[in-house]
Amino acid sequence: MLTIYSPPARAAEREYIYRVILGEFLGLDYTIAYRDGEHVELALTSEAVVERGDAPVRRLRMPDVLLQIPDQLWLTPASLPKQPLDRFTPPAKGPEEKPLPVIFGKRGRAGRYLETLGEEGEAGFYLGLDVFGSGLFMLTRYEEVAFRERDRHGRFPGRRSLACRESFLHRPIVNEYVELLWELLHKLWPELARRKREASVYLSHDVDYPFYVYGRSRLRMIRDILMDALRRRDFESARKKAGIILRSRRALDRDPYNTFDWLMELSEEAGLRSAFFFITEEHRAKSGLDGNYSIDDPVIQRLLQEIHARGHEIGLHPGYHTFLNPVRIRRQYEKLRQIAEDNGIRQAVWGGRQHYLRWRAPDTWQFWEDAGLDYDSTLSYADRAGFRCGVCYEFPVFNLKTRRELALRERPLIVMDQTILHPEYMGLGPEQAYETIRDLYLECRKYNGDFTLLWHNSQLVKSSDRSVYRRLVLELLGPNSRKGEKS
């Protein structure tokens, strides 16, 4: 067992981040001993309490930066990391090793971020990274509480995040910190054993528009088709939508947005499970922001039954105006559970994602907790793909305002299709999109992490989009595609 010698300030935040990094991510047993100081130190408990004669006590010492910030500066812009960030290169593991950005930290006495301890009666390492403070900063989305800028949908923009401005959004930086921490712990105490993890893939589909024809008049459909052909130069989508006008609009099996069977077949072929998140707004919004269907529609309920019967997951997709409205989130979740119960659908775990990725730290998490949901999978930036929380592991969340750990878990979203493809955001072509998603997936694989991909059922009209998604699922993400892969 390890002993953490910790300064006492902000004990609730400390207990949370120690438990997540040491307990949940690494699977190590530890105890906390509070004492004043400017450092956090880790020692093997047996060495800390037993007289060792002439043998030096082995320690891992790290600076304590974020959690020592004065109360009057806490959660303010003045407490954010100073830019540009320092960088340092850990002991070389190969030519691909990249310098680590130092979110919070302090160089040692010799001016380096990694030094050996040589004080009397001690041996070990000084690691100049504030691993726990930096981990708390990323996992709780501290900067999004301190920094108030929002886009036109009320979202914190990815381009303004520290990770984007310092060019590490494509890296799960918390995982990198944890691996370095583990490497040093294992060098000091080879008898320590960490938790073994298996990589996971989560395919999810936000059901905004289950069928193209729902809620659209013939005139509106003609306008939409003309926009596809003349403005977007997307003749394939225009042709498929035009086919709806020529056929009976009740022929939903040929609707271009009705890709549910195709998505489930693909997941099943790859040995994966899909999650479909549904909007349950009581009334359709005139703005069209909350989809084009009602969860009470018998056609939608038959779809729910089929998804469940085939072993896939159903979840919640709260409407556009809910992310700061706890009453509406709770009501929509209760509606989903009631519809599920009426249709014989029972699941052990219920989760989902906010519509438009509208989310605010830490309020939306708290509202999901209060509603009784088990996990959220909203946290990716709409405008930039990557590791918004700096991690590719699911983790328990912490409310920075109430200073309490919640039962709710965050399953970070790594990539959304529209982030990659939409001209307003990254606007990548098919091959670039595939390569970008592949690179992010491989980053997750390095750490046996969780890769969560959102692909809308309505983002499969173009054959190029279908091709990208099919390649991802069958050639890259499915367990069958990884047979023979070296661990």
Side-chain angles (χ1 to χ4, degrees):
M1 177 183 288
L2 292 171
T3 294
I4 307 171
Y5 294 98
S6 169
R10 298 194 173 88
E13 289 80 1
R14 292 181 186 281
E15 290 172 12
Y16 164 75
I17 198 62
Y18 296 157
R19 192 184 76 75
V20 172
I21 288 181
L22 293 176
E24 179 148 335
F25 290 174
L26 289 175
L28 302 175
D29 293 327
Y30 65 91
T31 186
I32 305 173
Y34 288 109
R35 68 183 187 187
D36 292 332
E38 297 181 352
H39 298 91
V40 173
E41 290 188 347
L42 303 181
L44 203 63
T45 303
S46 59
E47 294 184 5
V49 299
V50 177
E51 180 63 42
R52 302 188 71 236
D54 295 332
V57 175
R58 291 172 288 182
R59 307 255 177 168
L60 175 58
R61 182 178 299 159
M62 292 174 286
D64 190 50
V65 181
L66 176 64
L67 289 166
Q68 297 272 14
I69 286 173
D71 289 345
Q72 65 270 24
L73 300 180
W74 183 251
L75 294 177
T76 69
S79 66
L80 296 175
K82 301 299 183 289
Q83 293 184 257
L85 298 182
D86 261 0
R87 281 168 165 74
F88 90 104
T89 303
K93 295 181 181 179
E96 75 284 353
E97 193 69 29
K98 298 175 183 177
L100 270 176
V102 180
I103 298 176
F104 292 102
K106 186 178 180 181
R107 294 177 185 271
R109 293 182 177 180
R112 296 188 297 270
Y113 278 106
L114 183 59
E115 300 177 358
T116 56
L117 294 176
E119 299 177 11
E120 185 176 353
E122 289 187 325
F125 297 105
Y126 174 81
L127 174 61
L129 286 174
D130 179 4
V131 171
F132 297 115
S134 300
L136 184 80
F137 177 84
M138 293 299 297
L139 296 185
T140 63
R141 305 313 305 130
Y142 182 102
E143 68 180 314
E144 299 184 29
V145 179
F147 193 62
R148 300 294 181 179
E149 182 175 341
R150 299 291 183 266
D151 69 8
R152 64 190 179 92
H153 294 293
R155 304 172 299 200
F156 185 80
R159 60 182 174 77
R160 295 296 295 156
S161 67
L162 179 73
C164 187
R165 287 182 288 161
E166 290 286 337
S167 301
F168 64 87
L169 183 59
H170 63 292
R171 298 168 61 177
I173 196 67
V174 175
N175 291 96
E176 294 189 43
Y177 284 2
V178 169
E179 290 306 308
L180 178 56
L181 173 65
W182 168 248
E183 182 182 341
L184 297 177
L185 289 173
H186 195 59
K187 282 183 178 179
L188 290 170
W189 303 289
E191 63 270 33
L192 289 177
R194 69 181 293 179
R195 172 174 294 154
K196 293 184 178 180
R197 291 184 57 94
E198 290 188 5
S200 297
V201 171
Y202 296 104
L203 300 179
S204 56
H205 317 285
D206 293 353
V207 184
D208 301 336
Y209 306 99
F211 305 107
Y212 174 70
V213 299
Y214 271 24
R216 287 180 168 86
S217 67
R218 191 173 295 273
L219 178 60
R220 184 180 169 190
M221 291 171 66
I222 292 172
R223 289 175 177 170
D224 193 25
I225 292 165
L226 291 174
M227 287 284 286
D228 277 343
L230 301 179
R231 177 174 293 186
R232 304 183 187 102
R233 313 298 290 176
D234 182 0
F235 300 109
E236 182 181 6
S237 296
R239 177 178 54 79
K240 290 182 177 179
K241 291 173 183 177
I244 295 289
I245 297 178
L246 300 176
R247 293 191 300 269
S248 169
R249 296 180 65 197
R250 295 182 180 180
L252 295 179
D253 59 319
R254 300 290 300 277
D255 189 286
Y257 287 0
N258 184 5
T259 58
F260 298 100
D261 191 59
W262 186 82
L263 286 167
M264 287 188 283
E265 284 182 359
L266 208 60
S267 293
E268 291 156 10
E269 184 179 348
L272 297 170
R273 184 171 181 248
S274 277
F276 296 86
F277 300 149
F278 285 84
I279 297 172
T280 62
E281 276 285 356
E282 294 83 356
H283 304 287
R284 296 181 191 174
K286 292 182 179 179
S287 65
L289 292 172
D290 284 319
N292 65 349
Y293 65 101
S294 167
I295 197 74
D296 293 307
D297 185 340
V299 174
I300 299 299
Q301 294 192 26
R302 284 197 294 272
L303 175 60
L304 294 173
Q305 292 171 9
E306 169 139 8
I307 290 169
H308 179 68
R310 293 176 67 161
H312 300 281
E313 181 185 348
I314 291 165
L316 182 67
H317 195 40
Y320 184 86
H321 298 285
T322 64
F323 78 118
L324 295 178
N325 191 319
V327 173
R328 293 183 74 173
I329 290 174
R330 180 188 291 274
R331 191 165 61 219
Q332 291 181 30
Y333 178 48
E334 290 173 351
K335 176 74 171 180
L336 180 65
R337 292 298 301 271
Q338 185 60 57
I339 291 290
E341 183 70 23
D342 293 344
N343 285 275
I345 297 168
R346 293 176 178 82
Q347 295 179 166
V349 175
W350 290 87
R353 177 178 300 117
Q354 283 291 143
H355 193 31
Y356 272 74
L357 305 187
R358 297 188 89 204
W359 183 90
R360 185 165 298 180
D363 308 288
T364 312
W365 270 342
Q366 186 66 58
F367 302 153
W368 278 56
E369 166 94 350
D370 295 342
L373 285 136
D374 298 301
Y375 76 86
D376 169 66
S377 190
T378 301
L379 288 196
S380 186
Y381 294 118
D383 59 329
R384 299 286 191 278
F387 300 94
R388 180 173 179 174
C389 299
V391 73
C392 58
Y393 295 160
E394 182 180 301
F395 62 92
V397 306
F398 186 87
N399 186 326
L400 283 170
K401 293 181 180 178
T402 63
R403 303 184 63 205
R404 294 183 63 183
E405 180 178 336
L406 307 183
L408 182 75
R409 298 180 69 82
E410 180 62 32
R411 184 178 294 171
L413 174 62
I414 311 303
V415 186
M416 175 174 72
D417 52 2
Q418 292 176 0
T419 301
I420 295 286
L421 299 170
H422 200 286
E424 183 181 351
Y425 300 136
M426 297 176 70
L428 303 182
E431 193 58 35
Q432 286 179 302
Y434 177 84
E435 292 298 327
T436 298
I437 296 171
R438 178 181 179 275
D439 289 346
L440 291 169
Y441 167 71
L442 293 178
E443 282 295 308
C444 294
R445 288 286 297 173
K446 285 182 188 177
Y447 308 100
N448 288 323
D450 307 325
F451 180 75
T452 303
L453 172 65
L454 161 58
W455 206 285
H456 293 78
N457 64 288
S458 52
Q459 188 68 48
L460 294 163
V461 178
K462 295 167 63 174
S463 56
S464 59
D465 292 346
R466 284 198 178 218
S467 176
V468 169
Y469 185 75
R470 185 181 184 87
R471 284 180 65 197
L472 287 169
V473 174
L474 296 184
E475 297 178 16
L476 185 66
L477 303 180
N480 295 337
S481 70
R482 300 195 296 271
K483 286 182 179 179
E485 184 181 86
K486 292 183 180 180
S487 58

